[in-house]
Amino acid sequence: MPPEIRKPRPKYLALHQIRLPLAGYASILHRVSGAGLFLMLPLLIWLLQLSLASSAESAAMFGAVTGNLLVKLILLGLLWAFLHHFCMGIRILLIDIQIGVEKQQAHASAVAVMVVSLILTLIFGLKLLGAY
Amino acid sequence: MKRLVVGAHYGLMDWLAQRVTAIFMAVYTLIMFAATLGGAASSREAWHALMANGFIRYLTFLFIISLCYHAWVGVRDIWMDYVQPAAIRVTLHVLTLFALVGYAGWAVQIIWRL
Ligand code: HEM
C-alpha cells in the first residue's frame, strides 16, 4: 500500500470528543433505557408479585419496598426509561415505515421524544412520589 | 466449514419480531393506562380484579412473552456490538437467555394463579 493512503492504525474512538446530533443522543438513550429496563426486570416482577399477592404480609411488604427512598428513585428512573423507550420506539417504527425520514422531521421528532418523555416522567413521577 | 456460534445471521426474523413485539407492548401499555385512568389501580382489590380478568390475563401473558423475546433480541444486539471474543459473547448470550426464560416463567406464574 502506498504510504499516502496508509491510515494510522489502530484507530480509537475518543468518546468525549464525539459530537452527536440530538437524534444521536436520543438513540443512545433508547439503548440505555432498554438495557436499564432489562437489568431491573427482577425488581419489577417482584413488585408485580407483591402487588397481586393476597396475603397481608405481601401488601405490607409492597408498601415498605415502594416507600423506600432508593426504590422510589430507581422506579423514577425506570419510569423515564420506559417512557423514553416507548416514545423513541414509536419514532423508530414510524421511520421504519418511511414516516419522518427527512432530516428536519427526524430532528423535530427526536426533540419531541426527549421533551415528551421528560414531561410525562414529571407528570407520572409526581404521582408516583405521592405529590397529588 | 465455517461455523458461526454467535452473530446476526438470523437477523431479519428477529428484526421483525422486535417490531411486532414492540407494537404489541405499546398497545398493551395504552390499554393498561386507560384501565388505570378508569380506576383499576385505585386499590389493591381493583388492581387484582383487573389482572384476574380473563381477557386481560390473556393480553398480559402475551405481553410477558413479547417483552422477553423483545429484550432477548435487543440485549443480544447490545452484546454483539460491544463484546467481540466469541467465548465471552456466547456466555453472555446464554446468561441473558436463561435470565429471560426464567423471568417469563416467574411472571406468568404470578398472573396465572390469580
Ligand atoms: C412499549 C414498549 C416498547 C416499545 C414500543 C419498544 C420498541 C423498541 C424498538 C422499535 C426497538 C428497536 C430499535 C432499533 O432497531 O434501533 C427496541 C429495542 C430494544 N428494546 Fe424495546 N420497546 C419496548 C419495550 C421494551 C422493554 C420493556 C425492554 C426491556 C426489558 C426493551 C428493551 C429493548 C432493548 C434492550 C433494545 C435494543 C436496543 C438497541 O439495540 O439499541 N424494550 N425497542
Side-chain angles (χ1 to χ4, degrees), chain B residues 62-111:
Chain B
L62 290 180
F63 177 79
I64 293 167
I65 302 303
S66 296
L67 192 153
C68 290
Y69 197 157
H70 180 95
W72 159 238
V73 177
V75 174
R76 199 201 54 204
D77 281 350
I78 297 180
W79 295 137
M80 288 196 295
D81 278 352
Y82 305 122
V83 181
Q84 275 92 38
I88 305 178
R89 199 191 258 191
V90 87
T91 306
L92 289 168
H93 287 192
V94 170
L95 290 178
T96 305
L97 193 60
F98 281 2
L100 285 169
V101 172
Y103 296 160
W106 180 19
V108 167
Q109 167 270 139
I110 292 170
I111 58 155

Side-chain angles (χ1 to χ4, degrees), chain A residues 30-31 34 37-38 85-86 89 92, chain B residues 18-19 22 25-26 67 70 74:
Chain A
H30 185 250
R31 170 161 282 194
L37 286 164
F38 166 69
H85 197 88
F86 178 93
I92 293 170
Chain B
Q18 201 176 35
R19 264 85 194 145
M25 286 192 286
L67 192 153
H70 180 95

Side-chain angles (χ1 to χ4, degrees), chain B residues 10-58:
Chain B
Y10 22 67
L12 188 60
M13 170 65 194
D14 281 349
W15 179 89
L16 194 62
Q18 201 176 35
R19 264 85 194 145
V20 173
T21 53
I23 294 167
F24 180 80
M25 286 192 286
V27 172
Y28 179 87
T29 303
L30 295 178
I31 293 174
M32 293 310 270
F33 178 63
T36 311
L37 287 184
S42 56
S43 68
R44 270 182 88 84
E45 292 69 34
W47 173 238
H48 189 283
L50 173 74
M51 297 304 280
N53 172 286
F55 183 58
I56 294 293
R57 187 158 47 166
Y58 171 72

Side-chain angles (χ1 to χ4, degrees), chain A residues 37-132:
Chain A
L37 286 164
F38 166 69
L39 290 175
M40 288 295 152
L41 278 178
L43 174 67
L44 295 173
I45 302 175
W46 185 46
L47 287 176
L48 177 73
Q49 175 171 345
L50 291 178
S51 78
L52 288 167
S54 40
S55 71
E57 298 92 82
S58 301
M61 180 75 124
F62 182 80
V65 174
T66 53
N68 179 291
L69 186 66
L70 180 66
V71 174
K72 276 190 183 177
L73 287 177
I74 294 175
L75 290 179
L76 200 61
L78 289 175
L79 179 65
W80 169 81
F82 186 81
L83 290 166
H84 179 86
H85 197 88
F86 178 93
C87 296
M88 190 64 186
I90 289 173
R91 175 181 181 272
I92 293 170
L93 292 172
L94 289 176
I95 289 180
D96 278 348
I97 55 170
Q98 309 288 323
I99 297 175
V101 183
E102 291 303 317
K103 198 171 172 182
Q104 255 184 344
Q105 296 170 328
H107 177 76
S109 63
V111 175
V113 165
M114 301 283 247
V115 172
V116 169
S117 50
L118 282 173
I119 291 176
L120 289 179
T121 305
L122 194 69
I123 296 174
F124 298 140
L126 286 174
K127 182 82 188 163
L128 180 81
L129 298 175
Y132 62 91

